Amino acid sequence: MPRDSWLVTDSDVQQQVRIAPSILSADFARLGEEVRAIDEAGADWIHLDVMDGHFVPNLTFGPGVIKALRPHSAKPFDVHLMISPVDTFLQAFADAGADIITVHPEAGPHLHRTIQHIKSLGKKAGVSLNPATPAKMLDYVLEEVDLVLVMSVNPGFGGQSFIDSQLRKIEAIRKQIDKTGKAIDLEVDGGVDPETSRRAIEAGADILVAGTAAFRGGPSAYAANIRGLRGE
């Protein structure tokens, strides 16, 4: 499928599909080089998964690593916070260079207030839904956010298989977004490869997070990997 046909359309909004490689699957011994390589290979965003070993069963990195990586790419830094409590760390991630900060409804007591806080820091605000978190969690905040992230695996580890039931959720959220008439991004993360990316796009996604599928084969393969995720 040619990239030009991958458009989310309604009467007011057209958004092209973008690829956001997750550095969780990069070589951590040379992260700066990996970020530069995936950027040069055609990545649209850089996706950074922050895990605390509490909200999810894994521990990754904090704002210090993001700050260190920031000089290596001018692409948007898409920071997914899988941490709880989340509110006390928003300032630190904003200062580190995040462009988009995405949080989970379960990570704090007042989701609307958290979204307001992110936007007050001059950053785009996202909300992420775990596989068992229903789309109705967005009912009273959707028009306040810039991005919705649907997790198509249970968060915590890379390399998991895509959960097919999340396609129905993506479709439902796509309809909700279109009703707003706003340019709200719909992102999918988990088990994304050339086959599942096609299905996610058909369901309404316009941003694809890919870890293993993006970084497989080393830097010489990154451009081809990204083209494969686009369907080129």
Side-chain angles (χ1 to χ4, degrees), residues 153-205:
V153 298
N154 286 295
F157 296 96
Q160 300 180 66
S161 297
F162 190 94
I163 299 174
D164 289 341
S165 64
Q166 299 310 296
L167 292 168
R168 297 195 304 273
K169 186 188 294 182
I170 297 165
E171 291 172 353
I173 295 171
R174 176 80 268 156
K175 291 176 182 176
Q176 288 179 270
I177 289 173
D178 288 349
K179 286 180 181 177
T180 71
K182 295 186 175 183
I184 299 168
D185 292 310
L186 179 49
E187 185 172 46
V188 176
D189 182 3
V192 172
D193 59 28
E195 169 58 24
T196 56
S197 66
R198 177 185 59 80
R199 296 165 67 199
I201 292 162
E202 290 173 352

Side-chain angles (χ1 to χ4, degrees), residues 20-89:
S22 169
I23 68 164
L24 194 62
S25 295
D27 181 350
F28 269 47
R30 45 192 294 274
L31 271 184
E33 296 170 46
E34 289 277 70
V35 168
R36 291 198 304 273
I38 205 73
D39 179 331
E40 293 168 3
D44 298 291
W45 292 4
I46 306 298
H47 189 82
L48 301 112
D49 289 303
V50 178
M51 306 181 190
D52 64 357
H54 167 68
F55 186 71
V56 293
N58 198 5
L59 187 66
T60 56
F61 48 79
V65 168
I66 294 174
K67 183 177 181 180
L69 292 176
R70 184 70 272 186
H72 293 276
S73 175
K75 298 286 175 68
F77 270 22
D78 177 29
V79 178
H80 177 195
L81 298 182
M82 289 167 272
I83 64 177
S84 177
V86 71
D87 295 275
T88 53
F89 294 98

Side-chain angles (χ1 to χ4, degrees), residues 66-147:
I66 294 174
K67 183 177 181 180
L69 292 176
R70 184 70 272 186
H72 293 276
S73 175
K75 298 286 175 68
F77 270 22
D78 177 29
V79 178
H80 177 195
L81 298 182
M82 289 167 272
I83 64 177
S84 177
V86 71
D87 295 275
T88 53
F89 294 98
L90 297 175
Q91 181 77 58
F93 284 101
D95 292 345
D99 296 293
I100 305 136
I101 299 177
T102 297
V103 301
H104 287 254
E106 302 89 349
H110 304 292
L111 179 60
H112 188 273
R113 179 178 291 157
T114 301
I115 292 167
Q116 288 180 311
H117 187 180
I118 294 169
K119 297 191 121 181
S120 75
L121 297 171
K123 308 301 178 179
K124 290 187 175 182
V127 171
S128 181
L129 303 182
N130 286 331
T133 304
K136 68 180 181 180
M137 292 294 289
L138 301 169
D139 282 357
Y140 299 101
V141 297
L142 183 59
E143 294 199 11
E144 305 295 326
V145 304
D146 302 289
L147 176 146

